[in-house]
Amino acid sequence: MLDADDAEEDEEVPALLRQRGCSRQTLLVARDGVCDNLSEALEKLKLASTDSATDSVESCLDCLLKALANNNTEASMKIQEMGVLPLLPTLLNPQSSCTPKVANIIAEVAKNEFMRSPCVEAGLIPPLIQLLNSTDQEVLLQTGRALGNICYDSHEGRSAVDLAGGAQIVAEHIKSLYQNTEPENEKLLTVFCGMLMNYSNDNDSLQAQLINMGVIPTLVKLLGIHSHNTALTEMCLIAFGNLAELESSKEQFASTNIAEELVRLFQKQTEHEKKEMIFEVLAPLAENAVAFRLNRLVQSSLNVLFSFSLPDVIKLQLVEAGLVECLLEVVAQTVDGEREEDIAQLKTASDLMVLLLLGDESMQKLFEGGKGSVFQRVLSWVPSHNHQLQLAGALAIANFARNDGNCIHMVDTGIVQKLLELLDRHVEEGNVTVQHAALSALRNLAIPVVNKSKMLSAGVADVVLKFLQSEMPPVQFKLLGTLRMLIDTQVEAADQLGTNGKLVERLVEWCEAKDHAGVMGESNRLLSALIRHSKSKEVVRTVIQGGGVKHLVTMATSEHMIMQNEALVALGLIAGLDLVAAEKDFVGASLVSVLHKLLSDERSAPEIKYNSMILICAVMGSEPLHKEVQSLAFIDVVSKLRAHENKTVSHQASLTEQRLTAQS
């Protein structure tokens, strides 16, 4: 955003700038005889400004404005070269008829980046701020433009306006004028909103300042009253985007009827670009949305809007205000479209549909016990031939699957089969985002215990294993999580997967994926889960042969207590089921040393200490491991744990001490 006043006549300045052919010294030949060239006008202005000859000053100002309209950049350079800027503060007199033209000239020259700091250095900000107290609408309009343009992407400009208290005065003007629907007043409001946007853009402290002034509720009211005015509406939406960057804005937004106003505004729109602009203001719901190409005004707000996450209360308000119906209508209208704007609208509408489901209350309201029309419509997207709808449908299922009741209902009504069919369509060179979304949905659906056996019987594990060769970390991560959820408490499935040499080999490989911590962590956890849930000697041998033991020992040193504990339990089972086969790997991975550190560390949780002592007892049957235990003086460490506040730990310490003493 450069000049708020250009919002209504977007092509005016570019059209004028295309006029070329004048030499620098004869930049503008006056059509009415006011002056012959810009240099002459500037010299006359310098003389006239000293004797306050209003008529001669005004004629020179007219010439400057024409020159700026003809070639803004060159005229601005000439104004700077001839030292005219320092003369302008004395001409910014509230009582002078020339004042609006002077402010207009400042607004025009400040469209050039190289002129903004000189404007500040020339002392223009204080007198401009004083003009904000004027009652003359034209003075206010041109002053707002001048301040807004000086602030655009200018630290010096913003600091000067902040120091002079300009934002507070503009905010008060907006509060006092927002109910007035006269065209001239709406133009002024547009300029003032643009000024605040330029003032605060990408500046947390200035955005917080505006929020503390309470501008958000005023802007929401303004949006409702002036929705018929395109320029003001767009500027208001962009101003929302600016303020939406900060967490402190959420409370103020939640206290307004912003959802109702935005949905009402959306329902009235027929133009593609305006709909997309409203989409982008609704897109604060998107934590990780992807932007697409938009028009000038939309793009300027996009950078801040996509990083803004609204509270669940506003997501619910948007649902109750009827946004979902609007989005479904857009999807229906654009799903078969091939134009770029149709594809963009389809993506945004379906993405927003999914993102509304991130709120627990809004999600449950749309689920309606699995019988909701919206829920059914979203399910129909999964078998679609459109990748965007496939993706949105799978993500929607993943979001609906956030509580056991919903998960159980969806599995019982055959949704798993739809997801498996979708995955089968994307095995070979498939769409990675669709793969990731479908696996996410299956993982969530597999969480309730009653669903696991049903999903295993439906062949979920077999389909998921088809993606074992994927080189995409997001897919790998969800694949691992899905399998881990499926085998939880499922002995037969854990045994079957745990003896799958190719799977174990891949898990061991991913356990070393240090560039992808999520994949590495999930691989370790699945490796442990295969042992813990199968309790099978065959699975243990497969893991040992695959080189997985050392990774489980490393996992026992994780910063996450749950992973430490899972590793220790799995290692205990390995020691109990096939200590002889695991002995070499235990020694090589320094298992005994790891256990000594865990028991000695006061920060270790009771569960960790307990399972470490169980494991110590289990490895005593190995001669080399027994020697390591003796060399590290475990008895001293264990004897101290007899006084541990946790009775289970203290009891196990007594038993472990007895065992160590007996075998010393």
Side-chain angles (χ1 to χ4, degrees):
M1 202 313 252
L2 181 57
D3 190 342
D5 195 43
D6 288 340
E8 292 186 307
E9 299 176 294
D10 199 26
E11 298 301 319
E12 179 184 347
V13 174
L16 288 171
L17 287 175
R18 284 194 292 271
Q19 298 176 19
R20 294 285 184 258
C22 300
S23 71
R24 188 168 180 182
Q25 290 300 313
T26 57
L27 191 58
L28 176 66
V29 177
R31 281 165 279 186
D32 55 5
V34 174
C35 56
D36 293 329
N37 59 56
L38 178 59
S39 295
E40 180 184 339
L42 291 171
E43 289 292 352
K44 287 183 178 181
L45 180 62
K46 290 171 75 172
L47 293 172
S49 65
T50 61
D51 59 15
S52 302
T54 303
D55 291 342
S56 57
V57 168
E58 192 150 2
S59 66
C60 293
L61 295 175
D62 288 336
C63 192
L64 261 65
L65 285 169
K66 288 179 181 179
L68 287 163
N70 189 56
N71 191 321
N72 191 302
T73 302
E74 290 191 25
S76 295
M77 291 174 67
K78 194 69 177 176
I79 289 170
Q80 171 70 344
E81 286 174 8
M82 294 189 67
V84 171
L85 284 181
L87 304 176
L88 299 184
T90 61
L91 298 176
L92 291 171
N93 187 331
Q95 281 74 45
S96 171
S97 61
C98 297
T99 298
K101 291 182 180 179
V102 178
N104 190 359
I105 289 169
I106 297 170
E108 290 301 315
V109 300
K111 288 180 177 179
N112 300 286
E113 182 180 0
F114 65 87
M115 291 296 289
R116 291 172 201 144
S117 290
C119 282
V120 176
E121 293 164 2
L124 296 177
I125 299 298
L128 284 170
I129 299 298
Q130 288 301 313
L131 290 179
L132 289 174
N133 296 310
S134 172
T135 56
D136 184 294
Q137 197 154 35
E138 183 64 17
V139 170
L140 290 173
L141 182 74
Q142 299 303 338
T143 301
R145 290 183 61 235
L147 290 170
N149 287 356
I150 291 172
C151 285
Y152 180 77
D153 202 22
S154 169
H155 174 71
E156 294 82 5
R158 292 171 183 173
S159 296
V161 172
D162 181 23
L163 186 64
Q168 180 71 57
I169 300 173
V170 171
E172 291 300 327
H173 274 304
I174 295 175
K175 287 180 182 178
S176 65
L177 297 173
Y178 78 86
Q179 296 186 65
N180 187 333
T181 58
E182 292 178 4
E184 289 304 309
N185 186 68
E186 290 188 323
K187 190 172 184 180
L188 180 58
L189 284 169
T190 302
V191 168
F192 279 160
C193 286
M195 181 265 171
L196 291 183
M197 195 207 84
N198 284 0
Y199 172 73
S200 63
N201 188 40
D202 287 334
N203 188 306
D204 288 356
S205 63
L206 296 182
Q207 289 165 1
Q209 181 189 96
L210 295 183
I211 292 168
N212 291 335
M213 290 177 190
V215 300
I216 289 176
T218 303
L219 290 175
V220 173
K221 293 173 186 175
L222 188 151
L223 182 66
I225 294 171
H226 300 274
S227 59
H228 59 277
N229 186 300
T230 300
L232 180 52
T233 297
E234 290 181 352
M235 201 57 67
C236 187
L237 293 175
I238 296 171
F240 281 152
N242 244 20
L243 300 175
E245 281 192 322
L246 295 192
E247 287 289 316
S248 57
S249 70
K250 292 183 181 181
E251 186 176 343
Q252 281 197 27
F253 273 114
S255 68
T256 69
N257 64 334
I258 179 69
E260 182 182 333
E261 294 295 354
L262 288 174
V263 173
R264 187 165 61 85
L265 189 63
F266 180 85
Q267 290 169 336
K268 292 169 59 177
Q269 302 310 313
T270 55
E271 296 178 16
H272 162 75
E273 285 190 349
K274 192 60 173 293
K275 275 189 175 181
E276 295 225 278
M277 182 165 208
I278 299 167
F279 271 148
E280 297 309 328
V281 177
L282 294 170
L285 299 172
E287 277 77 4
N288 297 293
V290 179
F292 42 79
R293 186 175 63 81
L294 301 167
N295 65 19
R296 176 178 66 88
L297 287 171
V298 177
Q299 191 62 57
S300 64
S301 64
L302 185 62
N303 294 336
V304 294
L305 286 169
F306 272 121
S307 64
F308 177 54
S309 174
L310 287 173
D312 284 359
V313 63
I314 296 186
K315 294 171 188 173
L316 180 61
Q317 288 172 7
L318 288 168
V319 169
E320 292 177 337
L323 176 61
V324 172
E325 288 72 20
C326 295
L327 298 177
L328 290 175
E329 183 180 349
V330 171
V331 169
Q333 292 172 349
T334 58
V335 64
D336 296 319
E338 297 181 357
R339 298 179 305 168
E340 183 179 353
E341 57 263 36
D342 289 334
I343 295 170
Q345 278 203 10
L346 176 66
K347 172 172 173 49
T348 310
S350 56
D351 281 351
L352 280 172
M353 184 69 230
V354 171
L355 294 162
L356 287 173
L357 301 175
L358 290 174
D360 289 338
E361 288 187 77
S362 56
M363 177 272 289
Q364 210 58 40
K365 185 176 182 66
L366 294 174
F367 189 67
E368 289 186 64
K371 304 185 187 303
S373 60
V374 172
F375 172 65
Q376 296 299 328
R377 286 278 294 277
V378 170
L379 288 188
S380 70
W381 295 352
V382 176
S384 165
H385 292 289
N386 184 296
H387 283 185
Q388 175 58 34
L389 285 191
Q390 292 173 1
L391 171 64
L395 288 174
I397 292 172
N399 283 345
F400 278 122
R402 290 211 310 277
N403 64 57
D404 284 4
N406 291 4
C407 290
I408 292 168
H409 176 85
M410 285 191 279
V411 169
D412 287 345
T413 52
I415 286 176
V416 169
Q417 195 57 43
K418 292 179 184 290
L419 291 170
L420 295 182
E421 290 170 1
L422 176 62
L423 280 172
D424 269 330
R425 292 162 65 182
H426 288 274
V427 174
E428 298 296 331
E429 299 181 5
N431 185 297
V432 173
T433 57
V434 175
Q435 294 172 357
H436 180 265
L439 289 169
S440 296
L442 288 171
R443 180 198 178 281
N444 286 3
L445 291 170
I447 293 174
V449 175
V450 296
N451 282 356
K452 299 180 191 297
S453 59
K454 296 175 184 177
M455 293 177 68
L456 287 165
S457 297
V460 172
D462 295 332
V463 173
V464 170
L465 286 173
K466 293 179 181 180
F467 296 90
L468 202 58
Q469 298 310 311
S470 172
E471 296 300 329
M472 304 304 296
V475 174
Q476 295 168 353
F477 181 73
K478 289 300 179 181
L479 175 155
L480 293 164
T482 303
L483 291 178
R484 186 166 62 81
M485 286 297 119
L486 279 173
I487 66 169
D488 188 13
T489 72
Q490 304 299 303
V491 177
E492 186 178 341
D495 187 75
Q496 185 176 358
L497 290 174
T499 52
N500 182 327
K502 290 184 178 180
L503 171 61
V504 172
E505 180 183 343
R506 194 67 161 145
L507 292 182
V508 171
E509 178 185 338
W510 286 339
C511 282
E512 298 175 354
K514 294 181 180 179
D515 291 338
H516 303 286
V519 173
M520 185 169 68
E522 277 293 338
S523 298
N524 277 294
R525 295 191 73 185
L526 180 54
L527 203 59
S528 164
L530 291 171
I531 295 169
R532 289 184 293 109
H533 295 300
S534 69
K535 297 181 176 62
S536 161
K537 189 171 185 176
E538 290 304 312
V539 171
V540 165
R541 284 184 174 174
T542 304
V543 171
I544 294 171
Q545 290 167 4
V549 172
K550 64 181 180 180
H551 295 297
L552 291 174
V553 174
T554 301
M555 181 181 170
T557 65
S558 168
E559 60 183 11
H560 303 292
M561 190 270 285
I562 190 169
M563 290 181 66
Q564 284 184 309
N565 208 43
E566 289 174 355
L568 290 171
V569 172
L571 290 168
L573 286 166
I574 292 174
L577 291 168
D578 204 338
L579 179 59
V580 173
E583 181 181 81
K584 184 178 179 181
D585 289 333
F586 280 163
V587 172
S590 302
L591 172 63
V592 173
S593 178
V594 167
L595 294 175
H596 188 271
K597 289 178 182 177
L598 290 175
L599 288 172
S600 303
D601 191 344
E602 294 181 357
R603 297 169 298 176
S604 293
E607 300 94 318
I608 303 304
K609 292 185 182 296
Y610 175 83
N611 284 317
S612 294
M613 288 187 284
I614 293 289
L615 187 49
I616 283 295
C617 293
V619 301
M620 292 289 282
S622 160
E623 184 177 347
L625 293 171
H626 187 182
K627 287 181 179 179
E628 286 189 32
V629 171
Q630 289 180 316
S631 68
L632 287 174
F634 265 84
I635 291 181
D636 294 339
V637 177
V638 171
S639 64
K640 293 178 182 178
L641 293 177
R642 289 171 55 192
H644 197 279
E645 60 184 3
N646 184 291
K647 292 183 179 179
T648 304
V649 172
S650 61
H651 178 65
Q652 184 58 43
S654 297
L655 296 176
T656 304
E657 185 180 20
Q658 291 172 18
R659 178 77 181 272
L660 292 171
T661 302
Q663 294 189 260
S664 61

